[in-house]
Amino acid sequence: MSVAEQFAGLNIQNLISGPLTAAADASISLARSTAEFINDVGFDANGKIRTADFGYQRRTANEDGTSNLEEMKVAVPMLAIVPIPNLQIDEVNILFDMEVKQSEKSESAKDLSASISGSAKFGPVKVNISGSVSSHESNTRSSDNSAKYHVDVRATNHGTPEGLSRVLDMMAVCISPMLVSSDIKDGNGQALPDNAKAKAEKLKQLRAEIQGLENRLDASKNSLDSTIQRMKNLAVAQQNAYQADHTRFLNTLKDDPDGTKADEASAAMDKVNSAWTNFRNQTAELVKVLADSKPNNNTVSDLFGLLAFKSKDGTTDKYGTSESQYSALLSVQSSVVEAQNNYDGAEADLLAKKVDYNNAVSGATPAIAANDEQKPAPTPATTQPKPVNGGANGKP
């Protein structure tokens, strides 16, 4: 058989596509196993996160020298503490080598022999002659064929998928240690006497109230800052509108040979810009003063000192209801006054609670309330010496 005939029966397409198809099917099976692991280990039958609960103790020091022995509990998602199988086929190598060895040797063996003898006389000499003939033929034939077919598949664990990592990050934000119980001890972690424990419990309650008031104050501050920023944004919008009106007014001037009207309009616009810029730079301070003065929420306060630019004649006027941002600014004024009052109230409550805490730490008696009348203690009567002869300086 010729060398070409050796390859005639090979299906090269199957030799290449077979391993690749098997690798693709294996990838599907690996992905399915990862999904099944996440569903079985990470979530329960109701689709909620399966967690592992851990408990531990921690001790925190207080300002009064005592300490809190707290029992803590934390729930950690199972998917965050177990390795996730995520095998993926990275590489498929197909190697096919076919080696054809063909050698042919023909050898036939055949032996033939013959002999002959005779004599001849040549004069006085007689010669005897003998001989033989032999033949050998050989024919040998041999062939050798070999083939190598090698498939190399490499798969590695790609760790946690990117989407699952983001889900775990969101879980981590929402999960935090939870306080189960707390017991007050002394600075060395030993039990306190009853009276000391009662005082420590009172201080602990005051600290919790102070923490709540601080959170309330932060929320009030954020709300106030946000509302003040809205007011500033409206001021910028109104100022830009006046700038556009000023530009349009200058474009309408036709009978102004010496530029007097244009100069007057520019001067008026400078006053308007100055008023609104000062308002934006001092909004927080103005809002504080406005909230303390119990303003009329039906009009924008004159305390802001706002001016309007009149595009009809290029002059200034008091900021009134006909302006483009007036209604929005009036609405925000009501909101910012309310936000300022909420902040002031939270600040006052926090200050009063801190005074109570300091009094409890020092053992001092709480101060008398401001609305309580405190009468001065009576002073003992004293006998004043009378001046001699009734004179103020003792002289007649």
Side-chain angles (χ1 to χ4, degrees):
M1 181 180 294
S2 66
V3 175
E5 292 174 344
Q6 299 289 336
F7 293 93
L10 293 178
N11 191 334
I12 301 299
Q13 180 178 359
N14 290 338
L15 290 175
I16 297 175
S17 64
L20 294 178
T21 302
D25 294 338
S27 298
I28 296 174
S29 299
L30 293 175
R32 185 178 292 111
S33 66
T34 301
E36 291 175 354
F37 178 87
I38 293 174
N39 287 328
D40 294 342
V41 177
F43 302 93
D44 58 17
N46 298 323
K48 294 184 177 181
I49 301 172
R50 198 186 301 274
T51 60
D53 296 337
F54 298 93
Y56 62 94
Q57 289 183 338
R58 73 177 183 185
R59 192 161 68 94
T60 58
N62 299 323
E63 296 177 358
D64 58 346
T66 61
S67 62
N68 295 328
L69 184 61
E70 300 174 338
E71 291 287 339
M72 306 298 297
K73 177 182 177 182
V74 60
V76 182
M78 289 295 297
L79 293 177
I81 58 177
V82 297
I84 299 175
N86 187 22
L87 283 175
Q88 297 181 20
I89 295 178
D90 298 321
E91 186 176 350
V92 178
N93 296 320
I94 303 173
L95 303 175
F96 176 65
D97 298 326
M98 183 173 181
E99 184 178 5
V100 178
K101 296 179 180 179
Q102 184 175 14
S103 62
E104 184 173 347
K105 181 180 180 182
S106 177
E107 181 179 355
S108 59
K110 185 177 181 181
D111 295 325
L112 298 175
S113 64
S115 63
I116 186 172
S117 65
S119 63
K121 187 176 181 181
F122 299 95
V125 181
K126 184 178 179 181
V127 180
N128 293 324
I129 301 173
S130 63
S132 64
V133 179
S134 63
S135 171
H136 177 77
E137 183 180 359
S138 64
N139 187 3
T140 302
R141 182 178 180 181
S142 63
S143 61
D144 183 13
N145 297 326
S146 64
K148 297 179 181 179
Y149 185 57
H150 178 70
V151 178
D152 180 19
V153 180
R154 186 171 64 88
T156 57
N157 191 353
H158 284 234
T160 306
E162 179 64 22
L164 182 59
S165 298
R166 296 188 179 184
V167 173
L168 292 176
D169 291 341
M170 290 186 289
M171 294 179 184
V173 173
C174 299
I175 295 176
S176 60
M178 179 178 60
L179 178 64
V180 178
S181 63
S182 178
D183 190 16
I184 296 181
K185 304 290 184 179
D186 64 9
N188 297 322
Q190 303 300 319
L192 288 170
D194 292 341
N195 57 344
K197 187 172 183 179
K199 178 181 178 181
E201 290 287 353
K202 178 63 177 178
L203 293 176
K204 179 180 178 181
Q205 177 185 354
L206 289 173
R207 283 193 297 270
E209 293 175 357
I210 289 174
Q211 181 63 47
L213 289 173
E214 288 177 344
N215 294 336
R216 173 187 160 195
L217 184 64
D218 291 340
S220 301
K221 178 62 175 175
N222 293 335
S223 177
L224 177 60
D225 291 343
S226 176
T227 312
I228 288 176
Q229 186 59 48
R230 286 170 53 199
M231 179 171 279
K232 290 183 178 181
N233 294 340
L234 290 174
V236 171
Q238 185 66 81
Q239 196 171 354
N240 291 337
Y242 287 147
Q243 191 65 48
D245 291 342
H246 175 249
T247 302
R248 284 193 294 268
F249 176 78
L250 294 180
N251 293 333
T252 60
L253 292 179
K254 296 180 180 179
D255 185 14
D256 187 22
D258 55 356
T260 302
K261 294 181 179 180
D263 292 341
E264 292 176 351
S266 297
M269 188 62 210
D270 289 341
K271 292 181 180 179
V272 172
N273 281 331
S274 178
W276 285 90
T277 301
N278 290 336
F279 169 69
R280 289 190 290 111
N281 292 336
Q282 303 176 11
T283 304
E285 294 80 2
L286 293 174
V287 166
K288 173 65 176 174
V289 175
L290 181 65
D292 293 338
S293 63
K294 296 181 174 54
N296 179 12
N297 290 326
N298 295 325
T299 59
V300 174
S301 176
D302 294 337
L303 180 66
F304 296 152
L306 301 178
L307 295 176
F309 180 81
K310 295 302 180 181
S311 58
K312 293 181 179 180
D313 53 6
T315 59
T316 62
D317 196 1
K318 181 181 177 181
Y319 189 69
T321 57
S322 61
E323 307 306 319
S324 60
Q325 301 297 330
Y326 188 91
S327 298
L329 191 60
L330 179 60
S331 177
V332 175
Q333 175 181 288
S334 301
S335 300
V336 77
V337 168
E338 181 180 1
Q340 182 68 57
N341 289 332
N342 292 337
Y343 176 80
D344 292 341
E347 189 176 38
D349 292 343
L350 178 60
L351 179 60
K353 191 61 64 177
K354 286 184 176 181
V355 171
D356 292 343
Y357 179 81
N358 293 333
N359 290 334
V361 170
S362 62
T365 303
I368 299 176
N371 56 355
D372 293 340
E373 294 182 358
Q374 186 175 5
K375 297 181 179 180
T379 57
T382 59
T383 303
Q384 299 293 334
K386 296 181 179 180
V388 180
N389 296 328
N393 57 1
K395 295 181 180 181

